Amino acid sequence: METALFILLALGSILSALLVITTPSPIASALYLVVTFFCIAGLYVLLAAPLLAAIQIIVYAGAVLVLVLFVIMLLNLKRIEEKISRGWKSAGIVVTILLLGISFAAIAASTAVLVLGTTGAPMGFGKVATLGSLLFTQYLYPFEVVSVLLLLAIVGAVAIIRKQGSS
Amino acid sequence: MTIQLSHYLLLSAVLFSIGAAGVLTRKNLIVIFMALELMMNAVNLSFVAVARYMGDAAGQLIVFFVICVAAAEVAVGLAILIALWRHKGSMHIDTLAAMKW
């Protein structure tokens, strides 16, 4: 059951990721990206991380993609002329294949073969209470830093978009 | 066949490479931006898989922080894209050449 789900979600995420980078229209790319994010959220559930799956859907598939779609529609973006020299495109593909080959070789050389599954995880692993107590004790400092970062991002985004000369 | 750690890591490597291919071969800034998000998700997936393998919830917290940083990055990145659109009227990556040597 878990094996079948993993294969389904993995194939779905790879297929929709390929469609994201090959579709000419930006809107279609964004919609395929939503599918990828949902597949990855499903994989998180298989990995005993239900909280992260929920956050993935709320933040990525919800907030981030809505923002991206909003910008695409606000700017009325059509597909743009993508004249890429053949050399540049093949260089990109060669670099990607090299990257893939190196990571495949590194992973194949590893001996970590512990069988995964949602059963057999430690008690409370991935539960909201476990993560919350870690977040507010051991990782309190990075948590506070992240809140400042989010504030800075809000202020920065408004400052960048503000029209010149208006105060 | 049972699912092992290496399967998750391989899937993560494939997704990362697809994202890298998108960044390298597309010219539309919005699509490049989405490919970047894809790469970040691939790394998150391997973090969660290794956290499950080690039985350590800290790996899941790192993903939590990465998602926060990604949200901030999206806000600022899209603001820059809108400002670029306002100044140049284009989303082509070649219009971003002011700092080119």
Side-chain angles (χ1 to χ4, degrees):
Chain A
M1 178 63 189
E2 273 157 11
T3 309
L5 264 180
F6 173 79
I7 291 171
L8 195 71
L9 290 172
L11 286 181
S13 60
I14 290 173
L15 202 69
S16 51
L18 279 174
L19 285 168
V20 168
I21 67 162
T22 51
T23 320
S25 145
I27 289 266
S29 281
L31 294 178
Y32 285 127
L33 197 58
V34 176
V35 179
T36 314
F37 286 165
F38 269 95
C39 288
I40 291 176
L43 289 168
Y44 286 172
V45 173
L46 282 184
L47 284 167
L51 176 65
L52 280 182
I55 290 178
Q56 166 90 4
I57 289 174
I58 294 169
V59 174
Y60 268 119
V64 167
L65 257 298
V66 165
L67 211 57
V68 169
L69 280 175
F70 191 74
V71 167
I72 294 173
M73 293 178 176
L74 187 73
L75 302 182
N76 194 17
L77 274 185
K78 301 285 183 334
R79 59 186 64 182
I80 62 173
E81 198 71 32
E82 301 222 16
K83 269 193 191 158
I84 306 171
S85 66
R86 189 171 287 275
W88 182 237
K89 194 153 211 162
S90 49
I93 290 169
V94 165
V95 167
T96 309
I97 290 172
L98 278 180
L99 185 68
L100 201 61
I102 291 170
S103 26
F104 266 44
I107 293 165
S110 83
T111 51
V113 286
L114 183 84
V115 175
L116 289 162
T118 44
T119 52
M123 269 298 282
F125 183 75
K127 292 275 155 50
V128 181
T130 319
L131 288 177
S133 64
L134 263 179
L135 200 60
F136 285 107
T137 52
Q138 203 180 342
Y139 292 90
L140 185 62
Y141 182 62
F143 181 64
E144 296 294 339
V145 172
V146 159
S147 70
V148 175
L149 176 79
L150 287 174
L151 178 68
L152 282 178
I154 296 170
V155 176
V158 172
I160 291 169
I161 294 208
R162 201 171 60 95
K163 273 218 166 68
Q164 299 290 321
S166 68
S167 56
Chain B
M1 190 184 102
T2 48
I3 300 302
Q4 294 162 349
L5 176 63
S6 53
H7 294 120
Y8 278 97
L9 293 183
L10 282 177
L11 172 63
S12 167
V14 169
L15 286 178
F16 188 89
S17 303
I18 292 173
V23 171
L24 287 172
T25 57
R26 294 299 298 262
K27 290 281 180 182
N28 192 334
L29 277 168
I30 286 257
V31 178
I32 289 175
F33 200 74
M34 287 190 269
L36 219 63
E37 296 295 321
L38 194 60
M39 289 164 82
M40 223 179 287
N41 266 274
V43 175
N44 282 351
L45 182 63
S46 62
F47 257 118
V48 177
V50 174
R52 175 67 187 82
Y53 171 69
M54 311 266 287
D56 188 352
Q60 296 193 3
L61 276 185
I62 300 291
V63 173
F64 183 79
F65 291 131
V66 170
I67 289 177
C68 287
V69 173
E73 174 245 333
V74 165
V76 175
L78 288 178
I80 291 174
L81 289 191
I82 289 184
L84 181 79
W85 178 268
R86 217 179 251 162
H87 283 286
K88 311 260 186 183
S90 170
M91 271 292 168
H92 200 277
I93 191 158
D94 288 347
T95 54
L96 267 185
M99 287 174 76
K100 206 171 183 180
W101 186 56

